[in-house]
Amino acid sequence: MGLGDLLTGVPAIRAVRAAVPDHRLVLATTTALAPLARLVDAVDEVLPARELEPLDWAGPPPELAVDLHGKGPASHVVVADLRPDRLLTFASPGYPGPAWYPDEHEVRRWCRLVTEGLGVPADPDALDLAVPDVASPAPPGVAVVHPGAAFPGRRWPADRFAAVARHLADAGLDVRITGGPAEVPLARTVADAARLGEEAVLAGRTTTLELAAVVAGARVVVSGDTGMAHLATAYRRPSVVLFGPVSPALWGPPARAGEQGALHVVLWHGDGTGDPWGTELDPALAQITVEEVTTALDHLL
């Protein structure tokens, strides 16, 4: 499970809480995502878990277990093994439940599972996350540029991100380049090409909560189709999101209005046939120009 998987499930988690308000709600997620999961106000306890492995649960069988991870037995069995009184999953062999629609937006998919399964409404826009109680390593109002992505197919070229970062700096913004530990070389490449100082590189220097704090206080966020885009959504920060192999109709930010118009701007030239796990830059993502991004930023700012 990635950051986007967790954050797109937040409205459904809140709907589960509404369905069983007097119960203790335990959310099982990976150790890496546990700090962010604790920022979801509907959650009472976070259970660190390993991807698709049995849960280390020593308590009694739960009254209700909900699979918000996947559509098939590989994830269903993880929650079924808890022997809950009631199990809610999408339909698959041996598991009755609501139908899975491959063309459904990820947020609405999980909301529908809970609505159909538990009979409660779910608000797809209930995506907000609490601001972490940690000091941000960046001052308020920075422009966040996040050049990384899990796979090369979703990674816009570094020189274009650098041109965008330079544009933001020339406009008077304090720019920060973010990323995980493995993305430090990429972040430094972008910062160097944008003629930014070493202090601009936050990649590899933030905890998960510190990164969330940076985004929560940001003036604007620029990223590809990755977890950073979902953090910008969670904190209602203006953002420009670059999509390539995957349609924003499946993973894009919600249509929200800011002071200058749309709060989140999506750029996409694809047809939905690309490979999200591709090892080469997706052709649709390659079609997005620096000028398109800087124009979108100018409108947001």
Side-chain angles (χ1 to χ4, degrees):
M1 174 180 282
L3 178 55
D5 300 294
L6 170 65
L7 297 181
T8 53
V10 168
I13 294 169
R14 290 196 166 107
V16 172
R17 161 57 70 210
V20 288
D22 299 325
H23 289 62
R24 182 168 184 79
L25 197 156
V26 179
L27 176 63
T29 190
T30 60
T31 300
L33 293 176
L36 284 178
R38 294 187 179 96
L39 299 178
V40 182
D41 55 8
V43 174
D44 296 310
E45 179 185 343
V46 174
L47 178 67
R50 297 171 299 278
E51 189 83 11
L52 297 178
E53 292 187 19
L55 296 173
D56 296 325
W57 176 249
E63 292 185 32
L64 170 68
V66 183
D67 180 7
L68 295 176
H69 182 281
K71 64 178 179 179
S75 62
H76 295 353
V77 71
V78 174
V79 286
D81 281 349
L82 299 176
R83 294 179 288 111
D85 293 342
R86 184 178 180 189
L87 176 64
L88 176 58
T89 71
F90 277 111
S92 68
Y95 296 91
W100 174 282
Y101 303 138
D103 58 350
E104 189 170 25
H105 191 283
E106 194 72 4
V107 174
R108 294 185 177 277
R109 181 196 313 286
W110 302 117
C111 284
R112 182 174 58 82
L113 174 68
V114 177
T115 294
E116 292 187 13
L118 302 180
V120 294
D123 179 5
D125 199 43
L127 294 156
D128 295 11
L129 207 61
V131 177
D133 187 20
V134 299
S136 172
V142 298
V144 174
V145 175
H146 188 84
F151 296 92
R154 287 183 272 153
R155 201 175 299 147
W156 203 47
D159 61 328
R160 301 191 204 179
F161 270 116
V164 169
R166 185 67 253 164
H167 178 85
L168 290 166
D170 289 343
L173 278 78
D174 187 355
V175 180
R176 293 291 190 273
I177 314 298
T178 57
E183 295 169 333
V184 172
L186 172 61
R188 286 180 173 160
T189 296
V190 171
D192 289 346
R195 305 189 304 279
L196 302 176
E198 179 65 26
E199 72 281 354
V201 178
L202 291 182
R205 295 168 46 197
T206 61
T207 65
T208 303
L209 291 182
E210 287 173 337
L211 181 61
V214 171
V215 175
R219 175 66 184 86
V220 70
V221 176
V222 185
S223 77
D225 170 23
T226 186
M228 179 59 72
H230 297 284
L231 269 181
T233 293
Y235 290 116
R236 296 179 181 260
R237 306 317 304 149
S239 65
V240 177
V241 187
L242 287 60
F243 277 80
V246 177
S247 168
L250 302 179
W251 284 89
R256 288 172 171 167
E259 294 179 2
Q260 306 299 322
L263 187 62
H264 308 294
V265 178
V266 169
L267 300 176
W268 189 54
H269 299 301
D271 58 9
T273 61
D275 179 6
W277 303 283
T279 58
E280 301 290 339
L281 175 64
D282 184 79
L285 184 58
Q287 289 183 46
I288 298 176
T289 66
V290 170
E291 184 179 5
E292 283 181 272
V293 179
T294 56
T295 298
L297 286 167
D298 290 344
H299 283 301
L300 280 177
L301 298 171

